[in-house]
Amino acid sequence: MNQKIKEVVNTEDTKLSGNKIIELRNNNEQYFIMNGKRKSYHILTYGCQMNEHDSEKIGGMLTSIGYEETDDEKNADLVIFNTCLIRENAELRVFGKLGEVKGLKRNRPDMVVAVCGCMMQKEEIRQKLLKSFSFVDIIFGTNTIQELPGLIYDVEVNSKKSVDIIDNTELIYENMPKIRKFKYKALVNITYGCNNFCTYCVVPYVRGREKSRLPQEIINEVKKLAEDGCKEITLLGQNVNSYGSNLDDKCTFSDLLYELNKVDGIERIRFMTSHPKDLTDDLIKAIKECDKVCNHVHLPVQAGSNEVLKRMNRHYTREHYLNIVEKLKKEVPNIAITTDIIVGFPGETEEDFLETIDMVKEVQYDSAFTFLYSVREGTKAAEMEDQVPDEIKHERFEKLLNVLYPIVLERNRSCIGNTYPVLVESVSKTSENYLTGRTEHFRLVHFKGSEDLIGEIVNVKITSVKTFHMEGKLQQK
Ligand code: SAH
Ligand code: SF4
Ligand code: F3S
């Protein structure tokens, strides 16, 4: 079966009828004439790059009906929470912030509050919100972003609280309008959802089954981005390596990389995330052969013990993982390997944990995201016996960082004296005269330079390093 597609080229293509869209736009235009400013929206985005990109689509939908973005959350006409529930603390942060906004709404009852994203895909959480956070006006899900104009219409014109959730869908909405956060780098979805059901993870429950976009849709989007001046794309999927598995016309992830490598104007191609069980020799070859594909693979290992990996349902062994790492290092000299690690998965013994430590030493990661295992209701791991006590989790976490950080620092040290192309991203947060950018290996570099270099790829010679960033000197071309 080939991918079912629905085009959303403008807001008329949503459930809301053309007449009502016109009415909504007219109202917003009227507001603009009366107030000399447009209605404003502010989006609070939690979670991963999928959510970040969804927020760009939400911004696109809102702009198409006459809203404009504001940084001023307190005075925004519409505040949207794009939520995440990957770990408990992500969820708690959202509830905490919702509590704050409740106070704002009391002072400004006209303010519209909407909540969307992964948390809203869970019935129990929606119920909690409807009951305990009754000031929320709009609830929508990860599959109903395109319906936002209709939901706003219900609140503003019909004075009605509105909820629109679709649990699972085979449809992919193409060509949604987007307000991209950056001009020079862009996030591009290649797959949606996940079929892997790692036993700790909520994503397959909230994002539905895996669907791949048609290659031509992706290529067209990337060509358009390049025309608009974009230099770096990041291809997004929960498991990019299984891209294409539901498409009629065979196209693997490596086939896609070769195609995208041909797009003029694009200078760097990144991807997130690679599942070790599906990382093929073909992909290693593509990374090696495609000059624009960055020599960096984010390859979440999660744990070093085969026993734990099995209970996590990861479908690979530590030997298989190490074998891939060896091949990557052999075939792609200077490749950077980064990872995700979970500490304190149910039943993890001290020996299991030491195997994770061992893995970190053996791979010599360039960087890693480390997490304390967090119980997620509805997942298999939440039902497992032998949950690891919090204090042991914290102890192990600490031990892990004590091994990991010196390795990361050492890997950074190996860059001192070398010159790297750096894509300049912004003015440094700490000093006005400094710029911040990333090497192809995803290392953060601070160096002196002027603002007009933002969006350019420049050469920087590394002079000193810390664990989380490096410092360097701009080189003349
Ligand atoms: N699809 C990606 C990961 C998405 S979630 C992959 O498979 O690699 C990002 C990371 O969050 C995961 O890699 C995992 O390390 C972590 N994570 C997911 N669920 C978690 C949980 N219940 N507790 C702690 N960490 C979790
Ligand atoms: Fe979650 Fe596993 Fe899917 Fe990643 S591959 S999103 S960790 S279920
Ligand atoms: Fe991402 Fe969080 Fe959803 S990590 S897919 S936003 S649960």
PDB file of all heavy atoms in Angstrom, residues 46-51 83-87 117-119 142 202-203 206-207 238, ligand 3:
ATOM      1  N   TYR A  46       7.791  21.773  24.222  1.00  0.00           N
ATOM      2  CA  TYR A  46       8.504  20.826  25.088  1.00  0.00           C
ATOM      3  C   TYR A  46       8.891  19.624  24.236  1.00  0.00           C
ATOM      4  O   TYR A  46       8.236  19.331  23.240  1.00  0.00           O
ATOM      5  CB  TYR A  46       7.592  20.367  26.233  1.00  0.00           C
ATOM      6  CG  TYR A  46       7.148  21.515  27.119  1.00  0.00           C
ATOM      7  CD1 TYR A  46       6.082  22.330  26.752  1.00  0.00           C
ATOM      8  CD2 TYR A  46       7.822  21.815  28.300  1.00  0.00           C
ATOM      9  CE1 TYR A  46       5.688  23.390  27.534  1.00  0.00           C
ATOM     10  CE2 TYR A  46       7.442  22.877  29.090  1.00  0.00           C
ATOM     11  CZ  TYR A  46       6.373  23.660  28.713  1.00  0.00           C
ATOM     12  OH  TYR A  46       5.984  24.723  29.484  1.00  0.00           O
ATOM     13  N   GLY A  47       9.949  18.894  24.667  1.00  0.00           N
ATOM     14  CA  GLY A  47      10.253  17.626  23.998  1.00  0.00           C
ATOM     15  C   GLY A  47      11.223  17.717  22.848  1.00  0.00           C
ATOM     16  O   GLY A  47      12.081  18.603  22.830  1.00  0.00           O
ATOM     17  N   CYS A  48      11.053  16.825  21.897  1.00  0.00           N
ATOM     18  CA  CYS A  48      12.099  16.597  20.889  1.00  0.00           C
ATOM     19  C   CYS A  48      11.911  17.464  19.648  1.00  0.00           C
ATOM     20  O   CYS A  48      11.016  18.288  19.561  1.00  0.00           O
ATOM     21  CB  CYS A  48      12.099  15.130  20.510  1.00  0.00           C
ATOM     22  SG  CYS A  48      10.590  14.628  19.652  1.00  0.00           S
ATOM     23  N   GLN A  49      12.763  17.195  18.663  1.00  0.00           N
ATOM     24  CA  GLN A  49      12.727  17.977  17.425  1.00  0.00           C
ATOM     25  C   GLN A  49      11.441  17.758  16.630  1.00  0.00           C
ATOM     26  O   GLN A  49      11.046  18.623  15.858  1.00  0.00           O
ATOM     27  CB  GLN A  49      13.946  17.640  16.574  1.00  0.00           C
ATOM     28  CG  GLN A  49      15.223  18.228  17.154  1.00  0.00           C
ATOM     29  CD  GLN A  49      16.442  17.700  16.463  1.00  0.00           C
ATOM     30  OE1 GLN A  49      16.543  16.507  16.187  1.00  0.00           O
ATOM     31  NE2 GLN A  49      17.403  18.552  16.185  1.00  0.00           N
ATOM     32  N   MET A  50      10.810  16.580  16.827  1.00  0.00           N
ATOM     33  CA  MET A  50       9.497  16.356  16.187  1.00  0.00           C
ATOM     34  C   MET A  50       8.542  17.461  16.630  1.00  0.00           C
ATOM     35  O   MET A  50       7.809  18.027  15.833  1.00  0.00           O
ATOM     36  CB  MET A  50       8.853  15.061  16.692  1.00  0.00           C
ATOM     37  CG  MET A  50       9.343  13.816  16.115  1.00  0.00           C
ATOM     38  SD  MET A  50       8.980  13.640  14.388  1.00  0.00           S
ATOM     39  CE  MET A  50      10.128  12.332  14.085  1.00  0.00           C
ATOM     40  N   ASN A  51       8.532  17.697  17.940  1.00  0.00           N
ATOM     41  CA  ASN A  51       7.650  18.729  18.483  1.00  0.00           C
ATOM     42  C   ASN A  51       8.068  20.124  18.024  1.00  0.00           C
ATOM     43  O   ASN A  51       7.221  20.951  17.715  1.00  0.00           O
ATOM     44  CB  ASN A  51       7.635  18.664  20.012  1.00  0.00           C
ATOM     45  CG  ASN A  51       6.415  17.927  20.527  1.00  0.00           C
ATOM     46  OD1 ASN A  51       5.745  17.212  19.777  1.00  0.00           O
ATOM     47  ND2 ASN A  51       6.108  18.089  21.807  1.00  0.00           N
ATOM     48  N   THR A  83       3.182  19.779  24.002  1.00  0.00           N
ATOM     49  CA  THR A  83       3.681  19.019  25.154  1.00  0.00           C
ATOM     50  C   THR A  83       4.403  17.705  24.812  1.00  0.00           C
ATOM     51  O   THR A  83       4.255  17.158  23.726  1.00  0.00           O
ATOM     52  CB  THR A  83       2.491  18.654  26.062  1.00  0.00           C
ATOM     53  OG1 THR A  83       1.617  17.798  25.317  1.00  0.00           O
ATOM     54  CG2 THR A  83       1.742  19.881  26.522  1.00  0.00           C
ATOM     55  N   CYS A  84       5.134  17.200  25.817  1.00  0.00           N
ATOM     56  CA  CYS A  84       5.911  15.961  25.704  1.00  0.00           C
ATOM     57  C   CYS A  84       5.680  15.136  26.965  1.00  0.00           C
ATOM     58  O   CYS A  84       5.501  15.707  28.036  1.00  0.00           O
ATOM     59  CB  CYS A  84       7.388  16.336  25.602  1.00  0.00           C
ATOM     60  SG  CYS A  84       8.540  14.969  25.799  1.00  0.00           S
ATOM     61  N   LEU A  85       5.686  13.814  26.841  1.00  0.00           N
ATOM     62  CA  LEU A  85       5.552  13.003  28.055  1.00  0.00           C
ATOM     63  C   LEU A  85       6.551  11.857  28.090  1.00  0.00           C
ATOM     64  O   LEU A  85       6.304  10.825  28.704  1.00  0.00           O
ATOM     65  CB  LEU A  85       4.107  12.501  28.237  1.00  0.00           C
ATOM     66  CG  LEU A  85       3.594  11.308  27.428  1.00  0.00           C
ATOM     67  CD1 LEU A  85       2.304  10.784  28.009  1.00  0.00           C
ATOM     68  CD2 LEU A  85       3.435  11.652  26.011  1.00  0.00           C
ATOM     69  N   ILE A  86       7.693  12.079  27.446  1.00  0.00           N
ATOM     70  CA  ILE A  86       8.669  10.995  27.345  1.00  0.00           C
ATOM     71  C   ILE A  86       9.148  10.528  28.725  1.00  0.00           C
ATOM     72  O   ILE A  86       9.368   9.352  28.946  1.00  0.00           O
ATOM     73  CB  ILE A  86       9.854  11.420  26.428  1.00  0.00           C
ATOM     74  CG1 ILE A  86      10.658  10.213  25.984  1.00  0.00           C
ATOM     75  CG2 ILE A  86      10.766  12.452  27.055  1.00  0.00           C
ATOM     76  CD1 ILE A  86      10.113   9.457  24.855  1.00  0.00           C
ATOM     77  N   ARG A  87       9.332  11.487  29.640  1.00  0.00           N
ATOM     78  CA  ARG A  87       9.688  11.154  31.022  1.00  0.00           C
ATOM     79  C   ARG A  87       8.793  11.968  31.944  1.00  0.00           C
ATOM     80  O   ARG A  87       8.232  12.972  31.534  1.00  0.00           O
ATOM     81  CB  ARG A  87      11.169  11.489  31.296  1.00  0.00           C
ATOM     82  CG  ARG A  87      12.140  10.527  30.639  1.00  0.00           C
ATOM     83  CD  ARG A  87      13.565  11.030  30.664  1.00  0.00           C
ATOM     84  NE  ARG A  87      13.733  12.189  29.812  1.00  0.00           N
ATOM     85  CZ  ARG A  87      13.966  12.125  28.504  1.00  0.00           C
ATOM     86  NH1 ARG A  87      14.094  10.969  27.899  1.00  0.00           N
ATOM     87  NH2 ARG A  87      14.081  13.231  27.784  1.00  0.00           N
ATOM     88  N   GLY A 117       0.086  18.323  21.333  1.00  0.00           N
ATOM     89  CA  GLY A 117       1.305  17.520  21.429  1.00  0.00           C
ATOM     90  C   GLY A 117       1.059  16.158  22.042  1.00  0.00           C
ATOM     91  O   GLY A 117      -0.077  15.722  22.248  1.00  0.00           O
ATOM     92  N   CYS A 118       2.155  15.492  22.367  1.00  0.00           N
ATOM     93  CA  CYS A 118       2.100  14.072  22.737  1.00  0.00           C
ATOM     94  C   CYS A 118       1.248  13.793  23.978  1.00  0.00           C
ATOM     95  O   CYS A 118       0.551  12.784  24.037  1.00  0.00           O
ATOM     96  CB  CYS A 118       3.516  13.549  22.932  1.00  0.00           C
ATOM     97  SG  CYS A 118       4.437  13.532  21.380  1.00  0.00           S
ATOM     98  N   MET A 119       1.307  14.690  24.978  1.00  0.00           N
ATOM     99  CA  MET A 119       0.509  14.422  26.192  1.00  0.00           C
ATOM    100  C   MET A 119      -0.975  14.327  25.867  1.00  0.00           C
ATOM    101  O   MET A 119      -1.710  13.557  26.480  1.00  0.00           O
ATOM    102  CB  MET A 119       0.730  15.541  27.228  1.00  0.00           C
ATOM    103  CG  MET A 119       1.943  15.312  28.110  1.00  0.00           C
ATOM    104  SD  MET A 119       2.349  16.780  29.081  1.00  0.00           S
ATOM    105  CE  MET A 119       1.079  16.769  30.309  1.00  0.00           C
ATOM    106  N   THR A 142      -1.409  15.362  17.969  1.00  0.00           N
ATOM    107  CA  THR A 142      -0.295  15.401  17.024  1.00  0.00           C
ATOM    108  C   THR A 142      -0.778  15.161  15.588  1.00  0.00           C
ATOM    109  O   THR A 142      -0.048  15.445  14.644  1.00  0.00           O
ATOM    110  CB  THR A 142       0.763  14.337  17.382  1.00  0.00           C
ATOM    111  OG1 THR A 142       0.092  13.075  17.515  1.00  0.00           O
ATOM    112  CG2 THR A 142       1.446  14.654  18.684  1.00  0.00           C
ATOM    113  N   VAL A 202       6.838   5.675  25.497  1.00  0.00           N
ATOM    114  CA  VAL A 202       5.435   6.018  25.193  1.00  0.00           C
ATOM    115  C   VAL A 202       5.218   6.405  23.729  1.00  0.00           C
ATOM    116  O   VAL A 202       4.072   6.480  23.281  1.00  0.00           O
ATOM    117  CB  VAL A 202       4.924   7.216  26.036  1.00  0.00           C
ATOM    118  CG1 VAL A 202       4.696   6.847  27.467  1.00  0.00           C
ATOM    119  CG2 VAL A 202       5.848   8.420  25.904  1.00  0.00           C
ATOM    120  N   VAL A 203       6.312   6.681  23.014  1.00  0.00           N
ATOM    121  CA  VAL A 203       6.150   7.269  21.678  1.00  0.00           C
ATOM    122  C   VAL A 203       5.216   6.458  20.751  1.00  0.00           C
ATOM    123  O   VAL A 203       4.318   7.026  20.135  1.00  0.00           O
ATOM    124  CB  VAL A 203       7.524   7.548  21.020  1.00  0.00           C
ATOM    125  CG1 VAL A 203       7.361   7.961  19.560  1.00  0.00           C
ATOM    126  CG2 VAL A 203       8.256   8.636  21.794  1.00  0.00           C
ATOM    127  N   VAL A 206       1.636   7.302  21.527  1.00  0.00           N
ATOM    128  CA  VAL A 206       1.115   8.656  21.303  1.00  0.00           C
ATOM    129  C   VAL A 206       1.329   9.160  19.874  1.00  0.00           C
ATOM    130  O   VAL A 206       0.634  10.064  19.428  1.00  0.00           O
ATOM    131  CB  VAL A 206       1.694   9.675  22.319  1.00  0.00           C
ATOM    132  CG1 VAL A 206       1.251   9.329  23.725  1.00  0.00           C
ATOM    133  CG2 VAL A 206       3.211   9.782  22.245  1.00  0.00           C
ATOM    134  N   ARG A 207       2.280   8.567  19.169  1.00  0.00           N
ATOM    135  CA  ARG A 207       2.553   9.039  17.809  1.00  0.00           C
ATOM    136  C   ARG A 207       2.088   8.051  16.742  1.00  0.00           C
ATOM    137  O   ARG A 207       2.273   8.272  15.545  1.00  0.00           O
ATOM    138  CB  ARG A 207       4.052   9.307  17.636  1.00  0.00           C
ATOM    139  CG  ARG A 207       4.530  10.543  18.369  1.00  0.00           C
ATOM    140  CD  ARG A 207       4.381  11.753  17.481  1.00  0.00           C
ATOM    141  NE  ARG A 207       4.707  12.982  18.174  1.00  0.00           N
ATOM    142  CZ  ARG A 207       4.779  14.173  17.568  1.00  0.00           C
ATOM    143  NH1 ARG A 207       4.549  14.286  16.287  1.00  0.00           N
ATOM    144  NH2 ARG A 207       5.051  15.239  18.263  1.00  0.00           N
ATOM    145  N   GLN A 238      11.664   8.693  14.204  1.00  0.00           N
ATOM    146  CA  GLN A 238      12.036   7.966  15.431  1.00  0.00           C
ATOM    147  C   GLN A 238      13.072   6.907  15.116  1.00  0.00           C
ATOM    148  O   GLN A 238      13.897   6.548  15.945  1.00  0.00           O
ATOM    149  CB  GLN A 238      10.809   7.334  16.094  1.00  0.00           C
ATOM    150  CG  GLN A 238       9.778   8.334  16.573  1.00  0.00           C
ATOM    151  CD  GLN A 238      10.319   9.293  17.623  1.00  0.00           C
ATOM    152  OE1 GLN A 238      11.371   9.077  18.207  1.00  0.00           O
ATOM    153  NE2 GLN A 238       9.593  10.375  17.848  1.00  0.00           N
TER     154      GLN A 238
HETATM  155 FE1  F3S B   3       9.103  13.783  21.186  1.00  0.00          FE
HETATM  156 FE2  F3S B   3       8.312  13.846  23.691  1.00  0.00          FE
HETATM  157 FE3  F3S B   3       6.615  13.271  21.828  1.00  0.00          FE
HETATM  158  S1  F3S B   3      10.244  13.153  22.976  1.00  0.00           S
HETATM  159  S2  F3S B   3       7.730  12.376  20.148  1.00  0.00           S
HETATM  160  S3  F3S B   3       7.692  15.185  22.088  1.00  0.00           S
HETATM  161  S4  F3S B   3       6.735  12.309  23.811  1.00  0.00           S
END
